[in-house]
Amino acid sequence: MTMNSLKTSPFLKACRREKTSFTPVWFMRQAGRYMKEYRAIRDKVSFLDLCKNPDLCAEVAVTAQEKIGADAAILFSDLLLILEPFGFGLEYTSGDGPVITGKIESRADVDRLPEMEPDGSLQYVSDAVRKTRASLKPAIPLIGFSGLPFTLAAYILEGKSSRIFSKAKHFMTFQPAAWHSLMEKISRAVIRYVNGQIKAGADAIQLFDSWVGCLSSEEYREYVLPHSRAVISGIQKGVPVIHFGTGTGSFLKTFREAGGDVISVDHRIALDQAWEQAGYDVAIQGNLDPLALCGPAAQLRSRVKKILDQAGGRPGHIFNLGHGIVPQTPVDNVIRSIDLVHELSAR
Ligand code: CP3
């Protein structure tokens, strides 16, 4: 197959809001613990060692794409790896999720953080992109990814996952200059990191701002938007950018102002409303509730159909979940839902 079949793949066409003969679909966390092939690898290596082994990363990403028949593959990696070259400790504990060590409490702490050169210390990520691209079917696009500055800063300040992000909010409101300086430092690193993935062969980029839903529209605009915009505009032109957030239903217009060719929304908002708010001049990605994949078959079918109906056949819809696949999901339901999207959207 030629370069051409990749450029005209349904996923990349949908990113550009071009007509496709069916709605392309892929799922966040499509390579993960719900899949026995993944668990077999994880029985032998820790999560961090897996992320740092480009051959295994490629194997996991390609196996998942082929097994479920997704229209794109996502790089196997993690959002938080970029924190290590900044000097933070990173540990994945089973049950409690990731733990980040290294305190940031003042402007001086921010100033002490190194200017990051991800090309050097995150070489294993570029290697994983290269190996994954080489072993994927030529017409299947590879999505590279990074966290956006807010979600990365929130992990740095909280030290772990959180529901209310009190430390991050405290820091941004009481030390706004230090906050903006931290966000700028992270932004510069993310731009280099993402452009490195593109150079290594990523065909599209998804930027995760998983936790922005804890902010109001005003907070988003003041503390986050300029930095997300700087990152998005620093990414090499011509490569589609998917801008992902959860809980953004109340401020999608503002969220969209930061940029992105595709806006990815979660399941707390109806897709038709989300697209109307984001604007029809961007593509939309979403938004099946990940738990629908654990429910009864008849319900899964009707929920898939409802989302496709809400998209109304308009070019530029990429079917996905509102958030990632959960570990207890039956793999057959994932395969069935992808078949359903293809079958019900055929035009
Ligand atoms: O298939 C894929 O989507 C690609 C791989 C991928 C992982 N993490 C693998 C992973 C991607 C794109 C991510 C992104 C990521 N990582 C995000 C953004 C997406 C989101 O969920 O909002 C975030 C916030 C993280 C940070 C992270 N990594 C958390 C909070 C956790 C623990 C929670 C959990 O699900 O266990 C991880 C670990 C992680 N990242 C796993 C996988 C497959 C599970 C690790 C294991 O095998 O034990």
Side-chain angles (χ1 to χ4, degrees):
M1 252 182 266
T2 61
M3 240 354 236
N4 202 32
S5 60
L6 181 61
K7 289 271 177 248
T8 57
S9 64
F11 170 80
L12 289 175
K13 282 175 95 170
C15 289
R16 301 190 297 260
R17 288 182 297 117
E18 292 168 12
K19 278 193 182 143
T20 54
S21 52
F22 58 86
T23 301
V25 49
W26 69 281
F27 288 150
M28 288 176 267
R29 293 279 169 97
Q30 66 190 24
R33 286 163 293 179
Y34 78 101
M35 203 174 261
K36 67 175 189 301
E37 291 84 348
Y38 176 83
R39 292 194 303 269
I41 289 177
R42 280 281 284 102
D43 283 344
K44 293 184 219 122
V45 292
S46 72
F47 178 63
L48 258 183
D49 287 344
L50 169 53
C51 289
K52 293 179 179 181
N53 182 324
D55 289 306
L56 284 181
C57 287
E59 181 184 330
V60 165
V62 174
T63 302
Q65 182 274 321
E66 291 181 349
K67 179 156 180 165
I68 65 175
D71 296 302
I74 181 157
L75 167 70
F76 190 83
S77 189
D78 195 64
L79 200 78
L80 302 175
L81 298 171
I82 193 171
L83 302 185
E84 278 192 332
F86 267 125
F88 294 99
L90 183 57
E91 226 185 295
Y92 292 85
T93 56
S94 64
D96 293 333
V99 177
I100 299 105
T101 48
K103 273 200 178 11
I104 294 288
E105 287 172 342
S106 65
R107 177 69 195 242
D109 293 341
V110 174
D111 290 345
R112 263 196 300 276
L113 291 176
E115 221 26 77
M116 218 182 64
E117 307 258 358
D119 261 10
S121 43
L122 290 170
Q123 184 65 41
Y124 62 85
V125 176
S126 320
D127 289 344
V129 171
R130 221 169 279 118
K131 299 225 158 157
T132 310
R133 183 57 277 168
S135 49
L136 263 183
K137 288 199 185 75
I140 297 291
L142 174 60
I143 304 166
F145 73 91
S146 171
L148 277 168
F150 173 76
T151 293
L152 293 172
Y155 270 110
I156 290 173
L157 293 163
E158 300 289 336
K160 56 182 167 44
S161 296
S162 167
R163 259 180 302 147
I164 55 170
F165 299 94
S166 52
K167 289 181 185 152
K169 284 194 179 184
H170 191 276
F171 195 76
M172 67 165 67
T173 47
F174 282 89
Q175 302 191 68
W179 168 264
H180 285 295
S181 167
L182 175 63
M183 293 287 277
E184 282 163 14
K185 220 162 203 172
I186 298 173
S187 300
R188 289 193 289 274
V190 168
I191 291 170
R192 283 189 223 125
Y193 181 49
V194 165
N195 284 336
Q197 292 181 30
I198 293 171
K199 211 165 131 201
D203 304 298
I205 294 294
Q206 176 148 323
L207 296 173
F208 287 95
D209 225 348
S210 305
W211 309 133
V212 283
C214 72
L215 301 174
S216 68
S217 181
E218 291 74 23
E219 286 171 323
Y220 181 81
R221 181 175 292 286
E222 180 167 353
Y223 298 108
V224 179
L225 193 152
H227 307 288
S228 294
R229 179 184 277 151
V231 168
I232 293 169
S233 62
I235 294 176
Q236 192 190 303
K237 302 288 169 273
V239 177
V241 172
I242 306 169
H243 187 186
F244 168 87
T246 68
T248 54
S250 62
F251 61 95
L252 266 177
K253 260 201 167 84
T254 317
F255 182 75
R256 184 259 147 106
E257 275 180 47
D261 303 283
V262 185
I263 298 295
S264 191
V265 294
D266 76 5
H267 44 281
R268 295 171 187 86
I269 182 170
L271 191 90
D272 49 354
Q273 286 173 26
W275 208 346
E276 191 186 343
Q277 277 189 50
Y280 296 123
D281 54 342
V282 279
I284 198 104
Q285 177 173 273
N287 69 344
L288 184 69
D289 183 341
L291 294 180
L293 295 175
C294 302
Q299 209 182 79
L300 177 59
R301 185 184 177 92
S302 66
R303 292 177 79 166
V304 167
K305 184 167 185 315
K306 186 165 186 183
I307 291 168
L308 291 170
D309 288 347
Q310 288 170 337
R314 181 182 286 116
H317 176 218
I318 297 162
F319 198 100
N320 204 316
L321 304 175
H323 211 153
I325 295 178
V326 298
Q328 61 271 31
T329 306
V331 71
D332 286 343
N333 289 2
V334 176
I335 296 169
R336 184 175 310 125
S337 62
I338 289 183
D339 288 345
L340 270 174
V341 171
H342 289 159
E343 178 194 316
L344 296 173
S345 68
R347 51 193 166 246

Coordinates of all heavy atoms in Angstrom, one line a residue, residues 107 110-111 149 153 157 168 171-188 218-228 230:
R107 N 7.6 29.7 43.5 CA 8.2 30.2 42.3 C 9.6 29.7 42.1 O 10.0 29.2 41.0 CB 8.2 31.7 42.3 CG 8.9 32.4 41.1 CD 8.0 32.2 39.9 NE 8.7 32.5 38.7 CZ 8.4 33.4 37.8 NH1 7.3 34.1 38.0 NH2 9.1 33.6 36.7
V110 N 9.6 26.2 40.8 CA 9.4 26.2 39.3 C 10.6 26.6 38.6 O 11.0 25.9 37.6 CB 8.2 27.2 39.0 CG1 8.0 27.3 37.5 CG2 6.9 26.8 39.6
D111 N 11.3 27.6 39.1 CA 12.5 28.1 38.4 C 13.6 27.0 38.4 O 14.4 27.0 37.5 CB 13.1 29.4 39.1 CG 12.2 30.6 38.8 OD1 11.3 30.5 37.9 OD2 12.3 31.6 39.5
P149 N -0.7 21.0 29.3 CA 0.0 21.6 30.5 C -0.9 21.5 31.7 O -0.4 21.2 32.8 CB 0.3 23.0 30.1 CG 0.4 23.0 28.6 CD -0.5 21.9 28.1
A153 N 0.4 19.7 35.0 CA 0.7 20.5 36.1 C -0.1 20.0 37.3 O 0.3 20.0 38.5 CB 0.4 22.0 35.9
L157 N 1.4 19.0 40.9 CA 1.1 19.7 42.2 C 0.3 18.8 43.1 O 0.5 18.9 44.3 CB 0.2 20.9 41.8 CG 1.0 22.0 41.1 CD1 0.1 23.0 40.4 CD2 2.0 22.7 42.0
A168 N -3.8 22.2 43.1 CA -3.5 22.9 41.8 C -4.3 24.2 41.8 O -3.8 25.2 41.4 CB -4.0 22.0 40.6
F171 N -2.6 26.7 44.0 CA -1.4 27.3 43.4 C -1.7 28.3 42.4 O -1.2 29.4 42.3 CB -0.6 26.1 42.9 CG 0.9 26.5 42.5 CD1 1.8 26.6 43.5 CD2 1.3 26.7 41.2 CE1 3.1 27.0 43.2 CE2 2.6 27.0 40.9 CZ 3.5 27.1 41.9
M172 N -2.7 28.0 41.5 CA -3.0 28.9 40.4 C -3.6 30.2 40.9 O -3.3 31.3 40.3 CB -3.9 28.3 39.3 CG -5.3 27.9 39.7 SD -6.3 27.6 38.3 CE -5.7 26.1 37.7
T173 N -4.4 30.2 42.0 CA -5.0 31.4 42.4 C -4.2 32.2 43.4 O -4.2 33.4 43.3 CB -6.4 31.1 43.0 OG1 -6.3 30.0 44.0 CG2 -7.4 30.7 42.0
F174 N -3.3 31.5 44.2 CA -2.5 32.3 45.1 C -1.2 32.7 44.5 O -0.5 33.6 45.0 CB -2.3 31.5 46.4 CG -3.5 31.6 47.3 CD1 -4.5 30.6 47.2 CD2 -3.6 32.6 48.3 CE1 -5.7 30.7 48.0 CE2 -4.7 32.7 49.1 CZ -5.8 31.7 49.0
Q175 N -0.7 31.9 43.6 CA 0.6 32.2 43.0 C 0.5 32.2 41.5 O 1.2 31.4 40.8 CB 1.7 31.2 43.4 CG 1.8 31.1 44.9 CD 3.0 30.3 45.3 OE1 4.2 30.7 45.1 NE2 2.8 29.1 45.9
P176 N -0.3 33.1 40.9 CA -0.5 33.1 39.5 C 0.7 33.2 38.6 O 0.8 32.6 37.6 CB -1.5 34.3 39.2 CG -1.5 35.1 40.5 CD -1.0 34.2 41.6
A177 N 1.7 34.0 39.0 CA 2.9 34.2 38.2 C 3.7 32.9 38.2 O 4.1 32.5 37.1 CB 3.8 35.3 38.8
A178 N 3.8 32.2 39.3 CA 4.5 31.0 39.3 C 3.7 29.9 38.5 O 4.3 29.1 37.8 CB 4.7 30.5 40.8
W179 N 2.4 30.0 38.6 CA 1.6 29.0 37.8 C 1.8 29.2 36.3 O 2.1 28.2 35.6 CB 0.1 29.3 38.1 CG -0.9 28.6 37.2 CD1 -1.4 29.1 36.1 CD2 -1.3 27.2 37.2 NE1 -2.2 28.2 35.4 CE2 -2.1 27.0 36.1 CE3 -1.0 26.1 38.1 CZ2 -2.7 25.8 35.8 CZ3 -1.5 24.9 37.8 CH2 -2.4 24.7 36.7
H180 N 1.8 30.5 35.9 CA 2.0 30.7 34.4 C 3.4 30.3 34.0 O 3.6 29.7 32.9 CB 1.6 32.1 34.1 CG 0.1 32.4 34.1 ND1 -0.7 31.8 33.2 CD2 -0.6 33.2 34.9 CE1 -2.0 32.2 33.4 NE2 -1.9 33.0 34.5
S181 N 4.3 30.5 34.9 CA 5.7 30.1 34.5 C 5.8 28.6 34.4 O 6.5 28.1 33.5 CB 6.6 30.7 35.6 OG 7.9 30.2 35.5
L182 N 5.2 27.9 35.4 CA 5.2 26.4 35.3 C 4.5 25.9 34.0 O 5.0 25.1 33.3 CB 4.4 25.9 36.5 CG 4.2 24.3 36.6 CD1 5.5 23.6 36.6 CD2 3.4 23.9 37.8
M183 N 3.3 26.5 33.7 CA 2.6 26.1 32.5 C 3.4 26.4 31.2 O 3.4 25.6 30.3 CB 1.3 26.9 32.4 CG 0.3 26.5 33.5 SD -0.5 24.9 33.3 CE -1.8 25.3 32.1
E184 N 4.2 27.5 31.2 CA 5.0 27.8 30.0 C 6.1 26.8 29.9 O 6.5 26.4 28.8 CB 5.6 29.2 30.1 CG 4.5 30.3 29.8 CD 4.9 31.7 30.3 OE1 6.1 31.9 30.6 OE2 4.0 32.6 30.2
K185 N 6.7 26.4 31.0 CA 7.8 25.5 31.0 C 7.3 24.1 30.5 O 7.9 23.5 29.6 CB 8.4 25.3 32.4 CG 9.9 25.2 32.4 CD 10.5 25.5 33.8 CE 11.9 25.9 33.6 NZ 12.5 26.4 34.9
I186 N 6.2 23.7 31.0 CA 5.6 22.4 30.5 C 5.2 22.5 29.0 O 5.5 21.6 28.2 CB 4.4 22.1 31.3 CG1 4.7 21.9 32.8 CG2 3.7 20.8 30.8 CD1 3.5 21.6 33.7
S187 N 4.7 23.7 28.6 CA 4.3 23.9 27.2 C 5.4 23.7 26.3 O 5.3 23.0 25.2 CB 3.7 25.2 27.0 OG 2.5 25.4 27.8
R188 N 6.6 24.3 26.6 CA 7.7 24.2 25.7 C 8.2 22.7 25.6 O 8.5 22.3 24.5 CB 8.9 25.0 26.3 CG 8.7 26.5 26.1 CD 10.0 27.3 26.4 NE 10.4 27.3 27.8 CZ 9.9 28.2 28.7 NH1 9.1 29.1 28.4 NH2 10.4 28.1 29.9
E218 N -14.4 30.6 33.3 CA -13.5 31.7 33.6 C -12.1 31.3 34.0 O -11.1 31.8 33.5 CB -14.1 32.6 34.7 CG -15.4 33.4 34.3 CD -16.6 32.5 34.2 OE1 -16.6 31.4 34.9 OE2 -17.5 32.8 33.5
E219 N -12.1 30.3 34.8 CA -10.7 29.7 35.3 C -10.0 29.2 34.1 O -8.8 29.4 33.9 CB -10.9 28.7 36.3 CG -11.3 29.2 37.7 CD -11.7 28.1 38.7 OE1 -12.3 27.1 38.3 OE2 -11.3 28.3 39.9
Y220 N -10.8 28.4 33.2 CA -10.1 27.8 32.1 C -9.5 28.9 31.2 O -8.4 28.8 30.8 CB -11.1 27.0 31.3 CG -10.5 26.3 30.1 CD1 -9.8 25.1 30.2 CD2 -10.6 26.9 28.8 CE1 -9.2 24.5 29.1 CE2 -10.0 26.3 27.7 CZ -9.3 25.1 27.9 OH -8.6 24.6 26.8
R221 N -10.3 29.9 31.0 CA -9.8 31.0 30.1 C -8.6 31.7 30.6 O -7.6 32.0 29.9 CB -11.0 32.0 29.9 CG -10.6 33.2 28.9 CD -11.7 34.1 28.7 NE -12.8 33.5 27.9 CZ -12.7 33.2 26.6 NH1 -11.7 33.6 25.9 NH2 -13.7 32.6 26.0
E222 N -8.6 31.9 31.9 CA -7.5 32.7 32.5 C -6.2 31.9 32.7 O -5.1 32.3 32.5 CB -7.9 33.3 33.8 CG -6.8 34.1 34.5 CD -7.3 35.0 35.6 OE1 -8.6 35.1 35.8 OE2 -6.5 35.6 36.3
Y223 N -6.4 30.6 33.2 CA -5.2 29.9 33.7 C -4.7 28.8 32.7 O -3.6 28.3 32.9 CB -5.5 29.2 35.0 CG -5.8 30.2 36.1 CD1 -7.1 30.4 36.6 CD2 -4.7 31.0 36.7 CE1 -7.3 31.3 37.6 CE2 -5.0 32.0 37.7 CZ -6.3 32.1 38.1 OH -6.5 33.0 39.1
V224 N -5.6 28.4 31.8 CA -5.3 27.3 30.9 C -5.2 27.6 29.4 O -4.3 27.2 28.7 CB -6.3 26.1 31.2 CG1 -6.0 24.9 30.4 CG2 -6.3 25.8 32.7
L225 N -6.2 28.3 29.0 CA -6.4 28.4 27.5 C -5.2 29.0 26.8 O -4.8 28.4 25.8 CB -7.6 29.3 27.2 CG -8.1 29.4 25.8 CD1 -9.6 29.7 25.8 CD2 -7.4 30.4 24.9
P226 N -4.5 30.0 27.3 CA -3.3 30.5 26.6 C -2.2 29.5 26.4 O -1.6 29.5 25.3 CB -2.8 31.7 27.4 CG -3.9 32.0 28.5 CD -4.8 30.8 28.5
H227 N -2.1 28.6 27.4 CA -1.0 27.6 27.3 C -1.4 26.5 26.4 O -0.6 26.0 25.6 CB -0.7 27.1 28.7 CG -0.4 28.2 29.7 ND1 0.7 29.0 29.6 CD2 -1.2 28.8 30.7 CE1 0.7 29.9 30.5 NE2 -0.4 29.9 31.2
S228 N -2.7 26.0 26.4 CA -3.1 25.0 25.5 C -3.0 25.5 24.1 O -2.6 24.8 23.1 CB -4.6 24.6 25.8 OG -4.7 23.9 27.0
A230 N -0.9 27.8 23.0 CA 0.5 27.9 22.6 C 1.0 26.5 22.2 O 1.7 26.4 21.2 CB 1.3 28.4 23.8

